[in-house]
Structure formats: structure tokens, C-alpha cells
Amino acid sequence: TEIGLCRAIDRWLIEQRGISLALKAIGIVSGGGNELVNRCRLLANGGFQVILFCDSDEKVTNDHKLELKELGVEIVDFSPGEAIEDAMFASLPTSGVKKLLMIARDYRMEEKGLDLVAARNSIWDSVTTKFVGDCPDRFDANTDSAELRIAIANAAKSKSSPWFKKINRGESIGSVCLEYKNQIAGTSFDLALNNLIE
């Protein structure tokens, strides 16, 4: 997801500022899951300037952040306990959340061979299982609430069936998030975006 978001930022930088990651001699490297901390160590010890862009809900990574900072690694993350999905769904306006839900639905159609209605129901069923109490049957301006957004984020980052854990999906959601950049000022997601961009 993070690699896809970085690629979306690269396109945004080209369009908005006329620069690119390549022009600035910046490369994107996969953290490699459990290898994340070790990869950062290797790159930093190899003389590279390293920016670690990561969730804030992974204990293993959190336990090593101070060590990595001491190696000169700059860390861009979210509020304590937040994954990218938490920050994103908490920050975007209602219309942005709806666009992300449609992206998730479209990918579900593609991966499971479902029709539009079945894919929508599949996505919403996963939200319903994460909601405490009676879950609304849709997300819109009338049903929007912090509780529903939390349930959506939890469904999106589900270990069994995550919505956006592929590079191309990260690019798609990154494009949506950057589209709303001016409307999410001051949120943890926007702070992370700004830190990463700068």
C-alpha cells in the first residue's frame, strides 16, 4: 500500500511541482514485511539517506524506531496505534471515503469475479462484522460517524481479506487522498503526507 501511495505522490509532484522522485535521485524500496527494520539498517549503514514510511500499529517496528532514528533514518508514520487505513478513513471527507469504498468494491469484483451488487455486499458485509451494534446499510452523509469510519478501516486492513494491500491499489487510493489534500489539512494523514512529500 505504501509503495503505491509513494508512486501516487510521485505523479502528484510531477503535476503540481514539476519534479519527480527520479529527478531528486529518490528510489522506493519495499520494506519486505518482517525484514523492514533490517532493510532500514542495511541501507542506513550503506550510506543511504533513508525515510521509513510505515504504520504506527506494528509493535515490532515501533520497538525499533528509536534505534533507526539513531542510525539517521527519518520516520514518517501516523498517530500512535494508527495504520494507514485508520488515518486515511478518519481524515477524508465523506465523498473521499465513498470513493475508496467504490475502489474496494471494484477490486473485489476483479479478484472474486463478482457482479457489482455482490461485490458491494461483500465489502459492506466485512464492514458490518467490524461495527459494534446495528450497522447502517450504507455509508453516506446521513450515516457518517466516527464509529462507522473505524469499522470501515478495520475491514479494509483485515488480515484475512485486506482491501488495498497491493501496489496498484495503493496507487489508486493515493490518487484519491491527494485529490482531497486541501480538505484534510491538520489531520494525522495529511501531516504524514506533508512530511513524506517534503
Side-chain angles (χ1 to χ4, degrees):
T1 310
E2 286 83 356
I3 289 176
L5 181 56
C6 287
R7 288 183 179 178
I9 288 172
D10 190 30
R11 285 197 308 273
W12 183 86
L13 285 168
I14 292 167
E15 294 166 5
Q16 298 294 320
R17 299 188 182 177
I19 60 173
S20 67
L21 298 185
L23 187 63
K24 294 290 185 177
I26 296 170
I28 304 169
V29 178
S30 170
N34 295 334
E35 287 296 308
L36 176 71
V37 173
N38 195 44
R39 286 188 184 183
C40 286
R41 278 192 203 111
L42 290 169
L43 288 166
N45 287 331
F48 291 94
Q49 289 181 290
V50 180
I51 300 170
L52 170 59
F53 178 42
C54 61
D55 294 331
S56 299
D57 67 340
E58 294 289 337
K59 185 179 185 316
V60 174
T61 306
N62 288 339
D63 288 348
H64 291 278
K65 285 182 179 176
L66 182 58
E67 172 204 344
L68 293 175
K69 285 180 183 177
E70 289 172 352
L71 287 172
V73 174
E74 188 169 340
I75 297 175
V76 174
D77 56 7
F78 305 100
S79 297
E82 277 189 332
I84 191 171
E85 293 89 350
D86 299 312
M88 184 172 61
F89 282 110
S91 300
L92 288 170
T94 304
S95 57
V97 172
K98 288 177 77 170
K99 284 184 181 182
L100 294 183
L101 286 167
M102 287 187 283
I103 288 171
R105 178 204 64 201
D106 292 347
Y107 282 124
R108 186 61 55 92
M109 288 172 65
E110 177 185 299
E111 70 186 358
K112 303 279 188 187
L114 301 174
D115 66 26
L116 191 72
V117 173
R120 185 249 180 227
N121 290 343
S122 174
I123 290 295
W124 202 251
D125 286 347
S126 65
V127 172
T128 301
T129 64
K130 302 293 184 183
F131 190 83
V132 178
D134 292 329
C135 186
D137 63 357
R138 71 180 62 82
F139 180 87
D140 58 27
N142 295 321
T143 63
D144 191 350
S145 68
E147 295 77 17
L148 186 53
R149 286 169 177 260
I150 289 168
I152 291 169
N154 286 335
K157 65 182 182 177
S158 161
K159 299 287 184 195
S160 60
S161 187
W163 296 355
F164 306 121
K165 295 295 183 194
K166 291 188 177 176
I167 293 173
N168 64 328
R169 297 177 187 198
E171 289 184 71
S172 296
I173 64 172
S175 295
V176 170
C177 294
L178 289 161
E179 175 186 341
Y180 288 95
K181 189 165 181 336
N182 292 335
Q183 297 178 45
I184 62 172
T187 64
S188 66
F189 192 73
D190 186 51
L191 291 173
L193 276 181
N194 287 336
N195 288 338
L196 194 56
I197 288 166
E198 294 311 318

